[in-house]
């Protein structure tokens, strides 16, 4: 069975994505809003975190109340655009560890390869959230998830802001165990591999490199 695609159905996410799509949005606003949407998607993607009860004394009485069980969690941005989402995830899950995966594209095969991979030592014991703003062909996310699985990870989710149907199909075929959390699903890819209507090159817009 394929992994589920969870599309955020929320007016705040829809509104913020429209600001990101606008080519005249400033680098400062773009960066802040990427982080905000990252926070909102993390809220949805962590719905299944296990809870336990603990004793607490309120100003009124003693009681028991839910607290996170402390499941180990790591966020893994795909360099470089994925870095823009890390802050939003950490604001929701401050104890998360951060791993990094960098990818380059083989000019002949056009397939992505890992050139940098620095992960927490106990990564195989952690729930992993791979983050990248754009799921276009799905090549980078596919390779990043494969690299994590080679290192023993078996509980992986993928968070993106904008997904193309092509990218979703690739991840569902290569990694049917991985659920995708996204802000919106767009029409598809153009001949240059950009998502349409999309928001352009997310890395350039986050880092102001264009
Ligand atoms: N990467 C981006 O940053 N934008 C796209 O539209 C596709 C891939």
């Amino acid at each position: 069975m394929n992994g589920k695609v969870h599309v955020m159905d929320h007016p705040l996410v829809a509104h913020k994505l429209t600001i990101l799509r606008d080519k005249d949005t400033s680098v400062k606003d773009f960066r802040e809003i990427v982080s905000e949407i990252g926070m909102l998607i993390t809220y949805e993607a962590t719905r299944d975190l296990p809870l336990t009860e603990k004793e607490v004394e309120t100003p009124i009485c003693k009681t028991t109340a839910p607290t996170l069980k402390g499941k180990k969690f790591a966020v893994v941005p795909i360099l470089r655009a994925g870095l823009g989402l890390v802050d939003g995830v950490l604001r929701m899950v401050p104890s998360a560890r951060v791993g990094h995966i960098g990818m380059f594209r083989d000019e002949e095969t056009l397939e992505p390869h890992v050139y940098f991979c620095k992960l927490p030592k106990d990564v195989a014991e952690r729930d992993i959230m791979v983050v990248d703003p754009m799921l276009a062909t799905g090549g980078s996310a596919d390779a990043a998830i494969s690299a994590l699985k080679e290192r023993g990870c078996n509980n992986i989710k993928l968070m993106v802001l904008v997904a193309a149907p092509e990218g979703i199909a690739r991840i569902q075929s290569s990694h049917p165990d991985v659920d995708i959390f996204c802000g919106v699903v767009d029409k598809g890819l153009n001949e240059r591999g950009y998502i349409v209507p999309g928001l352009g090159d997310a890395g350039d817009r986050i880092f102001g490199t264009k």
Side-chain angles (χ1 to χ4, degrees):
M1 206 173 75
N2 285 336
K4 276 200 191 136
V5 182
H6 307 255
V7 185
M8 295 304 110
D9 179 17
H10 196 290
L12 285 178
V13 174
H15 175 81
K16 288 173 191 294
L17 278 168
T18 300
I19 300 174
L20 294 186
R21 290 191 194 280
D22 186 338
K23 66 180 176 43
D24 294 325
T25 295
S26 70
V27 170
K28 172 181 174 290
D29 288 349
F30 193 92
R31 199 180 281 151
E32 283 175 5
I33 291 168
V34 166
S35 172
E36 286 171 9
I37 302 178
M39 224 162 59
L40 294 168
I41 303 181
T42 303
Y43 171 80
E44 196 54 42
T46 50
R47 243 178 216 293
D48 59 351
L49 278 181
L51 292 169
T52 184
E53 291 286 316
K54 73 178 247 186
E55 285 188 5
V56 61
E57 189 167 354
T58 76
I60 310 301
C61 68
K62 283 188 178 170
T63 186
T64 58
T67 184
L68 286 174
K69 212 167 184 175
K71 203 155 187 344
K72 292 175 163 186
F73 187 80
V75 54
V76 180
I78 300 178
L79 302 179
R80 103 191 126 130
L83 290 173
L85 285 163
V86 172
D87 170 61
V89 178
L90 291 179
R91 278 156 78 189
M92 291 288 97
V93 193
S95 61
R97 300 296 192 265
V98 184
H100 293 87
I101 290 194
M103 220 81 62
F104 73 92
R105 200 150 79 132
D106 185 306
E107 290 305 328
E108 276 175 22
T109 64
L110 300 183
E111 281 302 308
H113 295 277
V114 175
Y115 72 84
F116 182 80
C117 185
K118 184 78 183 171
L119 301 168
K121 272 205 186 72
D122 58 355
V123 72
E125 296 161 31
R126 292 183 177 269
D127 286 358
I128 308 288
M129 179 86 76
V130 175
V131 298
D132 198 358
M134 310 300 276
L135 180 63
T137 62
S140 300
D142 184 353
I145 293 166
S146 294
L148 287 162
K149 287 183 175 174
E150 279 162 24
R151 288 156 180 83
C153 301
N154 57 23
N155 196 345
I156 302 173
K157 291 173 181 167
L158 173 64
M159 180 204 289
V160 303
L161 300 185
V162 184
E166 295 91 329
I168 291 173
R170 176 154 177 175
I171 297 302
Q172 286 188 324
S173 147
S174 309
H175 303 289
D177 56 311
V178 172
D179 277 10
I180 301 170
F181 293 82
C182 65
V184 68
V185 179
D186 270 8
K187 285 201 192 81
L189 302 177
N190 68 13
E191 61 293 346
R192 293 174 55 216
Y194 281 95
I195 298 179
V196 180
L199 44 78
D201 187 307
D204 278 344
R205 296 197 65 192
I206 290 167
F207 295 108
T209 45
K210 205 166 177 205

